Amino acid sequence: MLNNITMGQYYPVDSRVHRLDPRIKLILTIAFIVAVFLAHSFVGYVILAGFLFLSCRLACVPFRLLLKGLKPLRMIIILTFLLNLFFTPGDDVWVSFWIVRITREAFLQALFYSLRLVFLVAGTSLLTLTTSPIALSDGIELLLTPLKKIHFPAHELAMMMTIALRFIPTLLEETDKIMKAQMARGADFESGNLLSRARAMVPLLVPLFVSAFRRAGDLALAMESRCYHGGEGRTRLRVLKITRSDWIACGVLAVLLGLIILEGIVLKGVLF
Amino acid sequence: MSIEVRHLTHCYSEGSALSTVALEDVSLTIEDGEFVGIIGHTGSGKSTLVQHLNGLLKPSSGQILINGEDLNGEQVNRRALRQRIGLVFQYPEYQLFEETVARDIAFGPKNQGLSKEAIDERVRYAMDCVHLDYQKYSERSPFELSGGQMRRVAIAGVLAMRPSVLILDEPTAGLDPRGRDRILSMLEELHSREKTTIVMVSHSMDDMARLATRLVVMKDGKILATGTPREIFSREALMLSAGLGVPAASRLCGALRQKGFDLPADLYRMEELREHLLRLWRHTGSEAGKGGPAC
Ligand SMILES: Nc1ncnc2c1ncn2[C@@H]1O[C@H](COP(=O)(O)OP(=O)(O)O)[C@@H](O)[C@H]1O
Ligand SMILES: [Mg+2]
């Protein structure tokens, strides 16, 4: 029933990329996104693609998993391609019939913008494939720590994220169980019009909420009885440390950014 | 209603990396009027098996035949069938959702499309079955009852459909002795008075010793043995290999036999053990003219 949903896409192997500090990986991902926007030509894209491919190899993640992350966004990517293809003005006409006009410029621009989306998604997928959700929220907390000065609840936010992630599989399991239990009493979740379907959700949602609240209460009690009192003065069991490979990774990204900027200066207007 | 399971195999998340074989080539027949107990260690596939019996899970391979008809066949109305084969899940109190006890119990009969009067009659019947006073509880919120009472309301919700087969997955788990006893005596009554076929999954050998007419021992997704409780419980080595124990009476009987008491090896109920001990005591008492053998 619900077993076709797999949570998160973390690919648990041990690699150099997996071992990088999550904070660094977050920053590097942002740098990569900037690089994608700075790229001005297909030469830049070739550099980016090479970088992605090599990182993927280094992370021991199958390249096809990176492409799998594109699947949910395929409609948006196709739409971007088509809109650019049909509505970009140009001179070098390839195809022309009725009101449709496809030019060389339009085709290149459509390809360029849809590839940009592909790079953005693939780059962030590489982050989530190589960083466990827990490490990720840890990294986010630490990156947001400076904002605590202006009373931004960085720790609380990260704790909420961690707990939410922890409970998604539990709640899915619970949903599956309650659904089956109500089906055993003759509930019908599949047929009927919109209204009767919405009504059919009540026997599912009420027990689900009741149990979510019960779990939340239990968890709060368990946390308090272990003296949890928010982020104030809290130390960590595993302190994140920046290692040499983190610096190396930063260096690689710096080189990448440099190349892309250089490409922008040298090739500006060559392909476009 | 007879249920026949033929070479049933079930894989969770088939085809993915997390694929687990929960049941492997399980064959089993449940006849009309039986009280079948399914026992086995945690993770042995008991819950998976019972969810197949009313079509909530689909077999990866194999068949389930209800009165000779394939449950997963094209033209079978599984929704209607589920109401004749009632399944009470583990911790059923977590599926209560209505504002009042009566309305929650009415959910099943309502889905059957019964008239208002018939539904009301069913609710009264089901509450009577689980020994909940209609006057006192029908208008209460199910969420303000005790755990044992909530569980009985949930069981009533299934009984209200008047199933001819009742399947319960660990109905006594997590209850105090009184709550547990209430549920067991209710099942006993249902089995003897209404002739309902009952399939019960349980961890408690004592519960099984009290109620079951036949036992199915499961281990690692396979059926290790089936037989009457007397046959099964006298094979302590088998039970231990399945990661289970034997009822308290069997253990006591075994210990007494080791001390030299002349008792049959296959006693498993406290009452029969007491009978035998009393007979032994009277016997030796009349022979020696004084009390029973010293321990
Ligand atoms: N929804 C599920 N998804 C994946 N695996 C499951 C699921 N439910 C049970 N299993 C696995 O199937 C096996 C049998 O489980 P189950 O039938 O619940 O055993 P039991 O009820 O005897 O404790 C276990 O190994 C369990 O981990
Ligand atoms: Mg179970």
Side-chain angles (χ1 to χ4, degrees), chain A residues 1-161:
Chain A
M1 222 166 290
L2 291 168
N3 48 14
N4 46 5
I5 303 174
T6 45
M7 252 322 294
Q9 47 170 354
Y10 180 55
Y11 187 74
V13 290
D14 189 33
S15 78
R16 280 171 203 279
V17 180
H18 283 73
R19 280 194 301 266
L20 287 181
D21 189 304
R23 288 171 291 179
I24 297 294
K25 268 192 276 190
L26 272 163
I27 294 174
L28 295 186
T29 307
I30 293 168
F32 180 80
I33 291 172
V34 171
V36 170
F37 279 103
L38 285 180
H40 276 295
S41 69
F42 288 103
V43 176
Y45 277 3
V46 172
I47 300 173
L48 289 174
F51 169 78
L52 263 188
F53 185 73
L54 287 180
S55 323
C56 217
R57 289 297 297 272
L58 202 61
C60 306
V61 174
F63 200 66
R64 107 194 117 73
L65 278 186
L66 214 56
L67 299 181
K68 225 175 105 183
L70 296 172
K71 226 171 138 191
L73 290 167
R74 63 186 184 280
M75 287 324 285
I76 294 179
I77 293 172
I78 292 172
L79 197 70
T80 307
F81 184 82
L82 292 180
L83 285 180
N84 275 294
L85 188 63
F86 294 134
F87 298 112
T88 311
D91 310 319
D92 191 356
V93 179
W94 279 358
V95 184
S96 174
F97 64 91
W98 191 38
I99 52 165
V100 181
R101 242 168 63 98
I102 295 177
T103 62
R104 194 181 76 94
E105 288 88 343
F107 176 75
L108 285 179
Q109 184 164 332
L111 198 63
F112 192 78
Y113 284 126
S114 40
L115 274 179
R116 178 179 279 177
L117 280 179
V118 169
F119 276 115
L120 289 177
V121 177
T124 42
S125 286
L126 191 60
L127 174 73
T128 49
L129 279 166
T130 59
T131 319
S132 74
I134 300 292
L136 209 56
S137 63
D138 250 10
I140 292 175
E141 176 184 353
L142 288 169
L143 282 182
L144 293 179
T145 303
L147 293 182
K148 276 183 183 164
K149 290 243 162 49
I150 54 164
H151 299 292
F152 183 80
H155 168 77
E156 284 71 15
L157 209 68
M159 181 58 90
M160 269 160 60
M161 248 173 78

Side-chain angles (χ1 to χ4, degrees), chain A residues 177 180-182 184-186 207, chain B residues 51 79 90 94-95 104 111:
Chain A
K177 208 180 124 188
K180 277 191 202 153
Q182 305 299 24
R185 293 210 274 166
Chain B
Q51 285 173 45
R79 213 154 79 81
Q90 200 168 356
Y94 296 147
Q95 38 173 294
D104 203 284
N111 286 329

Side-chain angles (χ1 to χ4, degrees), chain B residues 46-47 90 169-170:
Chain B
K46 308 180 296 291
S47 301
Q90 200 168 356
D169 194 349
E170 310 215 11

Side-chain angles (χ1 to χ4, degrees), chain A residues 1 3 174 177-178 180-188 202-203 206-207 210 214, chain B residues 51 56-57 79 82-83 87 89-90 94-97 104 107-108 111 143 157 161:
Chain A
M1 222 166 290
N3 48 14
E174 191 110 350
K177 208 180 124 188
I178 296 170
K180 277 191 202 153
Q182 305 299 24
M183 278 165 77
R185 293 210 274 166
D188 185 1
V202 173
V206 172
V210 169
R214 186 171 41 82
Chain B
Q51 285 173 45
L56 281 173
L57 286 177
R79 213 154 79 81
R82 275 183 202 131
Q83 291 159 346
L87 174 60
F89 271 78
Q90 200 168 356
Y94 296 147
Q95 38 173 294
L96 301 175
F97 67 98
D104 203 284
F107 182 64
N111 286 329
F143 296 103
M161 299 188 295

